[in-house]
Amino acid sequence: MPQSIETLAAHFQHPGLTFELGQGGLVKAVVQTEVSTGEVYLHGAHVTAFQLNGQSPLLWLSQKSLFETGKAIRGGVPICFPWFGPLASDPKAPGHGYARTKSWEISSIYPSDDGGLSIDLQTTIDDFALTYSVSFGRTLQLALKVELLSTASGPAKFEEALHTYLTVSDVRKVSIDGLEVTGYIDKVDAAKPKPASGAPIQFNGECDRVYLDTKATCVLHDPGFNRTIAVSKSHSSSTVVWNPWIEKSIKMADFGDEEWTGMVCIETANVAGNSIELQPGKSHTMTAQVACVV
Ligand code: TA6
């Protein structure tokens, strides 16, 4: 049973923190500080909004998104765990795993290290205990800690991604630095491995690229909004870049047909050959930071 607004308000108080019924009647925490505002739903521990005060939103959210138990929210930062994409061993399994459609619980709140507020959410999936720390401050800081319970019968592997949707003025006019020297799996071309492009990423069609063995910070230049967004990370070896373009947008019921121009995903991940294996009782924490740098 999800934590109620009343239970949350009784246990967690902080200036600028409120608990509300969001879209679909789902419970969300809303944080308003002197530097930024943000919101995170218990459903999927899904961050759906983050913006610096006086600036336009950094995160993108589809106008067509569903807000229903069992369904993923379209936009913000979906958590992909314990697998990424379709599950090869079970075509009927939910894409990107269970984490984003589970109801998580808030376990603590505390001041963030950059003038904002941090919220920790927890859940368990199979033999894994997950703690997700969300900090709404001068930047959006995310940390996904995965622990394999000591009661597990042996080592276990998982994939993970913080599938961040960023708002852009027009995807046809932006570029992404940071991955010029890294080859990638091109999911738009039968998942063929492709060599490093040697140039910033620009968009003139559907883009669905999985970059492996990269620790790079990605820098999104958006001349239309006159801003630059940096997505940095730690303990993540994969980065996924995605824009569905026209045809794929039309095929997705929870994605407006015209919305593709206003978003791009830069996803902080450990997938495919970068998946993580844990021994019982051990843990791994992947972090991502989304910052408006100019
Ligand atoms: O991260 C890119 C991707 O794997 C694409 O292939 C596309 O499927 C996207 O994720 C969205 O997946 P979803 O299950 O949220 O529709």
Side-chain angles (χ1 to χ4, degrees):
M1 187 67 182
Q3 292 167 305
S4 70
I5 291 173
E6 294 74 18
T7 301
L8 291 165
H11 283 82
F12 305 110
Q13 291 106 22
H14 192 279
L17 171 64
T18 57
F19 298 100
E20 304 173 15
L21 284 185
Q23 298 193 55
L26 299 175
V27 175
K28 66 179 180 179
V30 180
V31 175
Q32 294 177 313
T33 70
E34 290 174 2
V35 292
S36 63
T37 61
E39 62 181 41
V40 56
Y41 280 79
L42 301 187
H43 179 68
H46 201 123
V47 174
T48 51
F50 177 68
Q51 70 189 94
L52 296 171
N53 294 344
Q55 293 197 15
S56 54
L58 281 180
L59 299 184
W60 178 89
L61 190 68
S62 173
Q63 296 295 314
K64 296 274 192 179
S65 179
L66 300 174
F67 286 82
E68 296 172 17
T69 52
K71 300 284 187 186
I73 294 169
R74 174 68 66 191
V77 185
I79 300 173
C80 305
F81 181 91
W83 63 81
F84 182 80
L87 184 60
S89 59
D90 178 3
K92 293 193 182 69
H96 292 323
Y98 302 109
R100 63 179 182 168
T101 52
K102 277 206 75 172
S103 186
W104 294 53
E105 291 206 344
I106 292 178
S107 54
S108 65
I109 63 156
Y110 46 95
S112 70
D113 57 14
D114 65 348
L117 184 66
S118 297
I119 300 176
D120 283 2
L121 300 102
Q122 293 184 334
T123 192
T124 58
I125 294 177
D126 304 334
D127 283 338
F128 296 105
L130 280 65
T131 302
Y132 186 45
S133 301
V134 178
S135 295
F136 297 120
R138 286 184 182 76
T139 65
L140 173 64
Q141 299 182 65
L142 306 169
L144 180 62
K145 178 182 177 184
V146 178
E147 180 188 358
L148 180 60
L149 299 174
S150 54
T151 50
S153 57
K157 290 182 85 168
F158 63 89
E159 294 178 307
E160 58 186 350
L162 298 175
H163 194 299
T164 305
Y165 287 74
L166 300 169
T167 299
V168 296
S169 58
D170 184 336
V171 71
R172 295 163 292 193
K173 297 176 181 166
V174 305
S175 64
I176 298 174
D177 296 344
L179 296 168
E180 297 85 341
V181 298
T182 307
Y184 59 93
I185 297 166
D186 188 348
K187 290 172 63 177
V188 173
D189 186 10
K192 289 177 188 162
K194 299 285 176 72
S197 66
I201 300 170
Q202 292 181 303
F203 300 86
N204 53 24
E206 181 184 354
C207 174
D208 194 347
R209 299 182 178 185
V210 180
Y211 292 83
L212 298 176
D213 305 324
T214 173
K215 311 282 188 195
T217 293
C218 289
V219 180
L220 170 65
H221 299 280
D222 185 347
F225 279 164
N226 190 29
R227 76 178 177 188
T228 299
I229 298 173
V231 181
S232 55
K233 61 181 190 174
S234 69
H235 307 296
S236 157
S237 298
S238 317
T239 297
V240 181
V241 177
W242 180 58
N243 180 278
W245 215 252
I246 302 167
E247 295 310 314
K248 193 146 199 183
S249 300
I250 292 168
K251 288 178 185 163
M252 292 185 283
D254 63 347
F255 197 114
D257 292 358
E258 313 294 327
E259 288 185 318
W260 59 275
T261 61
M263 54 70 67
V264 67
C265 287
I266 298 177
E267 306 162 33
T268 304
N270 286 300
V271 300
N274 296 141
S275 58
I276 304 290
E277 181 172 89
L278 288 177
Q279 297 295 329
K282 298 299 183 187
S283 66
H284 175 276
T285 300
M286 175 175 76
T287 73
Q289 181 182 66
V290 181
C292 196
V293 292
V294 174

